[in-house]
Amino acid sequence: MSKILISGYYGFANAGDEAMLTAIIESLRQVEKNVELTVLSGNPEDTAAKHQVCSVYRFNPLGIIRAMKDSELIISGGGSLLQDVTSARSLYYYLWIMKIALFFKKPVMLYAQGIGPVRGIKAREAVQKVLQRVSVIGVRDRESKAELSDMGVTRPPIHVTADAVLSMHPVDKAIGLQILEQKGITGSRRRVGI
């Protein structure tokens, strides 16, 4: 049984990030049914209950180190984690997680990341230095690949893939109809929800 640690912006009730985590977990369990997953989260209890995984508080350094030492692979999962527009602290947090993994000689994989923008010169250098040492880089668009190339990331090869959420299994249509009926929306006309 494989043991994988997943890092990302999870446990903050952000629907997009939680959907991304669901998609990553579904994909991993499709490959290996009994994979043991641990997720770094802002709300470990909620994450563990919703996703049926182990979870560690994202600002618990000892818990993170324990989980990392016990893992065979560290995934930096989805979203636009490596950017300094919303906060430079966020960028350095995710790089710190990767640096700890690399210190313990754990393979690190970027899973369908959106990269940038990274505006600060020192921030760009930091991203380049860390990513040059990871095992796999998967980005979700050509612009992210170009951004990494502009930063000087030359290895490992950068793979352009789809956003992780696109791999989610469709939900039963009956559930959707039930939700609409609870809101007083009935009828047989086709509807589009965004």
Side-chain angles (χ1 to χ4, degrees):
M1 175 182 354
S2 300
K3 294 182 177 183
I4 299 174
L5 179 67
I6 304 171
S7 168
Y9 191 72
Y10 310 124
F12 294 98
N14 179 300
D17 290 304
E18 294 304 315
M20 192 144 340
L21 178 58
T22 298
I24 292 169
I25 290 169
E26 281 182 2
S27 294
L28 292 170
R29 288 183 174 153
Q30 197 169 2
V31 172
E32 185 180 334
K33 186 177 179 125
N34 294 319
V35 64
E36 188 176 309
L37 301 172
T38 301
V39 177
L40 301 183
S41 172
N43 186 339
E45 296 79 18
D46 186 60
T47 297
K50 278 184 183 166
H51 299 284
Q52 303 304 299
V53 295
C54 298
S55 190
V56 174
Y57 183 56
R58 64 183 274 140
F59 293 117
N60 176 351
L62 292 178
I64 292 169
I65 289 168
R66 269 189 238 113
M68 206 168 276
K69 287 173 93 175
D70 197 38
S71 297
E72 299 164 50
L73 172 67
I74 312 308
I75 293 177
S76 183
S80 294
L81 303 177
L82 300 180
Q83 50 83 20
D84 63 0
V85 175
T86 56
S87 165
R89 285 182 301 201
S90 173
L91 170 73
Y92 287 110
Y93 169 81
Y94 295 112
L95 291 175
W96 175 75
I97 294 294
M98 288 183 237
K99 284 176 78 171
I100 292 171
L102 294 167
F103 175 81
F104 288 115
K105 299 187 179 0
K106 302 294 181 175
V108 175
M109 173 186 184
L110 272 67
Y111 193 114
Q113 285 272 346
I115 306 294
V118 180
R119 296 180 296 195
I121 294 169
K122 295 287 184 196
R124 292 176 72 79
E125 289 172 1
V127 170
Q128 189 265 349
K129 284 180 182 175
V130 173
L131 294 194
Q132 288 284 110
R133 298 174 53 214
V134 303
S135 300
V136 177
I137 298 176
V139 295
R140 64 184 181 188
D141 52 61
R142 284 188 219 112
E143 293 79 13
S144 294
K145 181 177 182 177
E147 178 78 351
L148 290 178
S149 295
D150 288 348
M151 286 185 219
V153 176
T154 57
R155 64 179 188 275
I158 302 165
H159 302 279
V160 178
T161 185
D163 191 299
V165 174
L166 296 176
S167 70
M168 285 181 71
H169 295 107
V171 177
D172 183 351
K173 289 181 183 176
I175 294 171
L177 291 172
Q178 191 176 39
I179 292 169
L180 290 173
E181 286 174 5
Q182 289 171 355
K183 300 294 181 187
I185 301 169
T186 59
S188 60
R189 290 192 343 224
R190 290 181 179 249
R191 300 183 188 282
V192 176
I194 299 174

